[in-house]
Amino acid sequence: MELQKFTYDNRLSRLFLQATVFWGLIGMLVGLTIAIELVWPLMTNGVSWLSFGRLRPLHTNAVIFAFVGNGMFTGIYYSTPRLLKTPMYSKMLGNIHFWGWQLIIVAAVFTLPLGITVSKEYAELEWPIDIAIAIIWVIFGINLIMTTVKRRVKHIYVAIWFYIATFVTVAVLHIVNSINIPVSLAKSYPVYAGIQDALVQWWYGHNAVAFFLTTPYLGLMYYFIPKAANRPIYSYKLSIIHFWALIFLYIWAGPHHLLYSALPDWVQALGVVFSIMLIAPSWGGMINGLLTLRGAWDKVREDPVLKMFVVGVTAYGMSTFEGPLLSLKSVNAISHFTDWTIAHVHIGTLGWNGMLTFGMIYWMLPRLYKTKLFSIKLANAHFWLATTGMLFFAVPLYFAAFTQSLMWKEFTEEGFLKYPNFIETVTQILPMYWLRVLGGTLYVTGVILMIYNVWKTMKMGAFVATEQDEAPALDKRKPNTDKGHRFLEGKPVLFTGLALIAILIGGMVEIIPMFMVKSNVPTIASVQPYTPLELEGRDIYVREGCYTCHSQMIRPFRSEVERYGDYTKAGETVYDHPFQFGSKRTGPDLAREGVKSSRNYKPDSWHYNHFLSPQKMVAESIMPPYSWIVEDDLDVSTTAAKIRVMMKMGVPYPEGFDERAVDHLKKQANQIAQGLRDGGIDVEDQKEVIALIAYIQRLGTDIYRDSNESIFSDK
Amino acid sequence: MKIVTNVLESIVNIQIFPIIGLVIFLLFFIVMIYRVMLFDKNEIDEISRLPLDKDDSNEFFNSNNQS
């Protein structure tokens, strides 16, 4: 048959590669900054946009969507045309994808430090950016699927399936989790509330890990490990089973992020069972990757690319074993809200995503520049810095997590909490936080070596913008006589549809009953909407990223009820758009902070002084000061609009309350500020801190209210 | 949240959806594993070589190129 000539365009891969390296460094430096802030809370004293709560979302978004995102696109744009023996479908779509994605990242870099956030983890970006993400993502998807349609090979290699599943699932996750009603250009509320918002968010959050950090990188693994080792994948059959099992099972496991929470038991049980089942396909994939190197282990000794792949795939195996382990209720009781979670995700990102990205870059770069790598010694140094950095990061945090969790749970013989002051459990683990800084520094140093190596290699060689190849055309007239799975692999669009159905089934099973069965969220008559002032205070809480360090979810354990008060009920969260459960307790839980009879209760004046200087109230506190909240005036220009959006979503404010909202707000602010002034604090009614105090003093109090009469009725 | 619930409630017999989902999931899985077992070995070998070129030896990593 006649051979057709065509070219591979390397320019897009190069652009994405450069973006990966650049954003990788930025994202990791932001991570290092916030790691230092935890041991040196006054480092950025008084600079709002450098505070931990605002930078932490920037760190997570930058490493996930900018570093790993650009990394996956580098590999996808390199491997897809070569596997399908055709150029990418459209150069223009590719370029729009690249520049659009970078613009989205730049938008995140500006908005997140400014406190423009929805506060749902890894989905913090506000609605205009969410829309841009959806558009760019679809452009990427069209380009990918049309390339598979235009291919010159009959069979679509397994790596491409993983790319397709990534496209389809991330689109669904992103859209479902980002359904918000805008108040203004920079503010919106999710349509879901409380426990249901939490379920949707962690369905998204868990699957962002699955389909943004895992499946595309498995695709890269199935392409680049065989390339680097120059031998086919160990078992292609295993890779098929790996693929379908993984995409089916992952989508169900989200509720394991909400164990012991107010989420109904059956949903929690579902999440646990599927998490345990996930070990099988995950380890199938890991074994498939590692066994590909059988007979080539001598190469692993010399080749830094293979070394990085081996550590990366091993880290994948470790974190996918650890994940199901953490989803067991008995383990989760200890691990949740501690640094264990942080250690776990960093084995995944630093080990799996990081190492695979670095290996891919070292492999691809000399080929893009038709030269040898500038320095193998430097690449080896990078390998050791990354490996030891990862271990210095994670291992101390495992110790920190166990130590702190057991301290939270320890009782004296008389039946009292042994460490009733939360801060005692924090100071105990600070040395571990220092070791994490060391680990992060080692890791970033490795990345800097890589950047030097990349730059020198680029200088040494000449960029190969296009590469020639030839292949016979795919004979379309020949009927597809394959049966079963082989038939499916010849039909990319059908295949995409089936992958979509697979993940939708899991999503449906998890989410629909939760929204349908009324008994899932028993209503509590005394639970009422937030007052306008409290709502504004809540938005400040969201803006400052308080949820990154404080949970609002008391689990039904003796130790937690004793420390924080009655456990959190689903019905208490029905007006929380968005939910604020949090996932980490760097500071104490705040779910019952406003309950006067609780041992945690603090008067307004304490909170005022604490925001001004946490260290003045708790000498060893690692919370940064929030002086700008005390100094800045509250913006009430959108208060009425916020109430209207809430009413639209079914929050039962009285008819026409939006027009009275600002008056109501001012009245309540005056009461709180007057109380503070009576206590000798010089503060004006309109300061932001007043709203935040109002919100904090409301937390957890509803179920203790005697009367079910509306708190708005007399106003 | 009420919006979502209302939309979902308007779908007839939606309660059965999750059970259908689970059944589809299990059936697909069993059939898929069965078919994978029956794959032709030679063909599988050929497919698994798709990423590899004629010569993928690691000419770019040569230990005599150390700086």
Side-chain angles (χ1 to χ4, degrees):
Chain A
M1 195 182 285
E2 190 198 349
L3 286 178
Q4 295 179 332
K5 284 198 190 315
F6 52 90
T7 53
Y8 303 124
D9 194 335
N10 286 333
R11 278 171 284 214
L12 211 51
S13 294
R14 179 173 68 159
L15 279 174
F16 274 117
L17 189 149
Q18 288 162 335
T20 307
V21 172
F22 174 73
W23 290 119
L25 181 67
I26 303 285
M28 289 171 204
L29 283 176
V30 175
L32 195 53
T33 307
I34 57 176
I36 297 171
E37 282 181 346
L38 282 176
V39 282
W40 183 15
L42 298 183
M43 183 172 82
T44 58
N45 196 355
V47 185
S48 62
W49 54 276
L50 286 178
S51 61
F52 181 92
R54 294 201 192 178
L55 286 188
R56 194 266 189 177
L58 180 64
H59 165 62
T60 51
N61 278 280
V63 291
I64 296 173
F65 300 109
F67 171 58
V68 177
N70 280 313
M72 85 163 85
F73 298 137
T74 307
I76 290 175
Y77 280 107
Y78 186 87
S79 60
T80 304
R82 286 168 172 82
L83 284 170
L84 300 174
K85 297 276 177 244
T86 177
M88 285 303 291
Y89 169 67
S90 162
K91 247 183 227 170
M92 190 185 71
L93 290 182
N95 280 319
I96 296 174
H97 175 203
F98 176 77
W99 291 107
W101 194 255
Q102 310 314 314
L103 270 179
I104 288 165
I105 296 167
V106 171
V109 169
F110 281 101
T111 56
L112 291 174
L114 287 174
I116 298 172
T117 169
V118 186
S119 85
K120 292 170 67 157
E121 287 181 62
Y122 330 125
E124 283 97 342
L125 298 171
E126 265 297 351
W127 67 274
I129 309 176
D130 278 344
I131 292 175
I133 293 172
I135 294 170
I136 295 298
W137 193 258
V138 169
I139 285 173
F140 155 64
I142 292 172
N143 207 2
L144 177 67
I145 289 169
M146 286 312 290
T147 308
T148 62
V149 172
K150 298 260 169 202
R151 71 194 187 282
R152 285 193 179 80
V153 290
K154 194 165 144 219
H155 182 92
I156 301 175
Y157 185 68
V158 66
I160 310 271
W161 313 356
F162 278 102
Y163 303 158
I164 292 175
T166 302
F167 158 65
V168 171
T169 317
V170 171
V172 172
L173 293 168
H174 173 69
I175 292 168
V176 173
N177 191 41
S178 304
I179 303 178
N180 287 19
I181 299 189
V183 175
S184 66
L185 206 58
K187 179 77 199 165
S188 65
Y189 294 117
V191 292
Y192 323 103
I195 196 73
Q196 293 174 335
D197 191 34
L199 180 72
V200 175
Q201 155 61 22
W202 282 114
W203 171 75
Y204 162 89
H206 178 72
N207 290 301
V209 174
F211 288 89
F212 206 92
L213 300 174
T214 308
T215 53
Y217 269 63
L218 287 170
L220 300 185
M221 176 187 93
Y222 277 119
Y223 180 77
F224 286 102
I225 288 190
K227 286 298 257 187
N230 194 22
R231 58 193 58 225
I233 195 73
Y234 169 66
S235 165
Y236 197 77
K237 285 184 184 180
L238 183 57
S239 75
I240 297 173
I241 297 172
H242 177 200
F243 173 80
W244 285 108
L246 201 78
I247 71 163
F248 259 119
L249 296 180
Y250 243 121
I251 204 85
W252 304 60
H256 69 208
H257 289 257
L258 296 162
L259 296 180
Y260 288 112
S261 72
L263 198 70
D265 267 351
W266 68 265
V267 188
Q268 298 186 26
L270 191 72
V272 173
V273 171
F274 277 87
S275 305
I276 298 301
M277 284 160 70
L278 258 177
I279 295 181
S282 301
W283 275 52
M286 174 190 72
I287 289 166
N288 216 356
L290 287 180
L291 286 187
T292 301
L293 299 170
R294 74 202 185 289
W297 285 96
D298 53 314
K299 282 194 193 171
V300 178
R301 274 210 315 244
E302 288 152 18
D303 187 342
V305 170
L306 287 179
K307 274 186 218 179
M308 285 176 161
F309 284 164
V310 166
V311 171
V313 175
T314 310
Y316 172 63
M318 291 304 109
S319 56
T320 52
F321 179 69
E322 197 185 4
L325 196 72
L326 291 175
S327 74
L328 291 172
K329 281 188 111 173
S330 48
V331 180
N332 197 270
I334 299 171
S335 76
H336 197 52
F337 292 131
T338 71
D339 288 297
W340 197 339
T341 315
I342 319 297
H344 169 58
V345 297
H346 280 84
I347 293 286
T349 43
L350 300 179
W352 163 240
N353 297 114
M355 288 298 205
L356 225 66
T357 310
F358 303 145
M360 179 183 77
I361 289 175
Y362 285 125
W363 182 87
M364 193 192 289
L365 196 72
R367 284 163 176 82
L368 291 183
Y369 280 82
K370 264 268 175 279
T371 180
K372 291 189 165 124
L373 191 70
F374 167 69
S375 166
I376 290 178
K377 268 190 185 155
L378 275 182
N380 275 322
H382 179 195
F383 167 78
W384 285 109
L385 282 168
T387 306
T388 50
M390 176 177 76
L391 293 175
F392 267 109
F393 187 106
V395 176
L397 287 191
Y398 289 129
F399 279 97
F402 269 111
T403 307
Q404 193 176 31
S405 188
L406 295 178
M407 285 175 88
W408 289 343
K409 287 176 184 298
E410 194 167 345
F411 281 92
T412 62
E413 276 180 24
E414 293 77 27
F416 298 111
L417 284 171
K418 188 158 182 205
Y419 304 99
N421 288 329
F422 190 90
I423 191 68
E424 291 177 84
T425 71
V426 175
T427 49
Q428 187 70 32
I429 58 172
L430 281 185
M432 300 297 146
Y433 282 11
W434 276 110
L435 282 172
R436 160 174 49 191
V437 173
L438 172 69
T441 309
L442 290 174
Y443 199 87
V444 171
T445 310
V447 171
I448 293 170
L449 291 189
M450 179 184 74
I451 291 174
Y452 178 70
N453 212 349
V454 164
W455 181 65
K456 286 298 245 184
T457 307
M458 284 175 164
K459 296 268 279 196
M460 260 168 46
F463 179 58
V464 186
T466 53
E467 278 175 57
Q468 287 271 338
D469 200 358
E470 53 184 25
L474 185 63
D475 193 352
K476 293 227 166 97
R477 286 161 308 173
K478 216 165 78 184
N480 192 337
T481 50
D482 289 327
K483 289 194 188 116
H485 205 271
R486 295 286 291 109
F487 170 80
L488 203 58
E489 288 152 22
K491 300 261 175 219
V493 179
L494 180 66
F495 185 87
T496 307
L498 275 177
L500 177 67
I501 291 170
I503 62 113
L504 283 180
I505 288 172
M508 265 178 16
V509 175
E510 202 180 305
I511 290 173
I512 291 179
M514 183 65 199
F515 278 93
M516 293 303 299
V517 185
K518 296 225 159 56
S519 62
N520 279 333
V521 185
T523 44
I524 301 170
S526 60
V527 173
Q528 299 204 11
Y530 294 105
T531 67
L533 186 68
E534 289 157 5
L535 189 65
E536 289 290 359
R538 190 169 203 275
D539 285 342
I540 296 171
Y541 187 96
V542 164
R543 181 188 77 196
E544 298 306 335
C546 302
Y547 66 90
T548 58
C549 290
H550 294 281
S551 56
Q552 286 187 26
M553 173 49 65
I554 303 167
R555 297 179 292 173
F557 299 139
R558 180 181 161 217
S559 58
E560 297 207 357
V561 172
E562 179 71 20
R563 185 180 293 275
Y564 302 116
D566 199 5
Y567 66 89
T568 305
K569 283 125 189 106
E572 288 182 272
T573 66
V574 291
Y575 305 127
D576 286 1
H577 297 267
F579 78 107
Q580 291 291 302
F581 295 174
S583 60
K584 173 74 174 68
R585 280 183 192 144
T586 304
D589 188 279
L590 300 178
R592 302 243 177 258
E593 193 62 19
V595 178
K596 286 212 167 98
S597 57
S598 98
R599 42 191 298 271
N600 282 326
Y601 180 76
K602 317 275 189 329
D604 292 356
S605 57
W606 187 94
H607 285 297
Y608 180 89
N609 286 313
H610 188 248
F611 287 127
L612 209 52
S613 169
Q615 287 69 27
K616 206 165 96 186
M617 310 313 286
V618 182
E620 289 162 310
S621 171
I622 59 168
M623 178 166 145
Y626 283 86
S627 47
W628 61 92
I629 297 178
V630 176
E631 287 153 16
D632 292 351
D633 285 351
L634 183 68
D635 175 15
V636 293
S637 62
T638 54
T639 307
K642 285 177 177 176
I643 298 287
R644 274 194 293 277
V645 169
M646 287 289 166
M647 290 166 82
K648 206 181 284 174
M649 293 189 293
V651 178
Y653 287 104
E655 192 68 28
F657 185 72
D658 54 319
E659 283 161 27
R660 290 182 280 135
V662 174
D663 292 337
H664 189 285
L665 178 149
K666 286 183 175 159
K667 215 158 142 190
Q668 193 187 1
N670 179 263
Q671 277 172 8
I672 294 171
Q674 193 55 46
L676 287 171
R677 286 192 287 267
D678 291 347
I681 293 171
D682 184 22
V683 62
E684 294 161 67
D685 291 4
Q686 74 275 20
K687 295 297 174 193
E688 283 188 335
V689 68
I690 304 294
L692 189 54
I693 289 174
Y695 171 62
I696 287 185
Q697 298 293 30
R698 172 72 185 272
L699 284 175
T701 57
D702 277 24
I703 56 167
Y704 298 101
R705 187 179 293 118
D706 294 333
S707 119
N708 292 344
E709 195 187 322
S710 166
I711 52 171
F712 304 102
S713 58
D714 58 335
K715 307 279 161 54
Chain B
M1 150 198 138
K2 279 231 171 78
I3 302 173
V4 183
T5 311
N6 289 344
V7 170
L8 291 176
E9 264 173 353
S10 64
I11 303 170
V12 183
N13 288 335
I14 193 170
Q15 299 84 342
I16 199 95
F17 279 31
I19 296 153
I20 297 174
L22 194 67
V23 172
I24 295 176
F25 160 68
L26 280 174
L27 288 180
F28 180 91
F29 215 75
I30 293 163
V31 172
M32 188 264 297
I33 289 181
Y34 173 71
R35 296 225 67 111
V36 168
M37 295 303 159
L38 296 182
F39 273 7
D40 176 50
K41 197 178 177 316
N42 293 330
E43 200 180 21
I44 282 284
D45 279 350
E46 184 198 315
I47 295 165
S48 65
R49 289 189 174 275
L50 271 177
L52 303 176
D53 294 328
K54 285 146 257 159
D55 180 29
D56 247 327
S57 60
N58 237 341
E59 84 250 45
F60 295 99
F61 275 111
N62 207 320
S63 49
N64 59 28
N65 176 50
Q66 297 206 348
S67 62

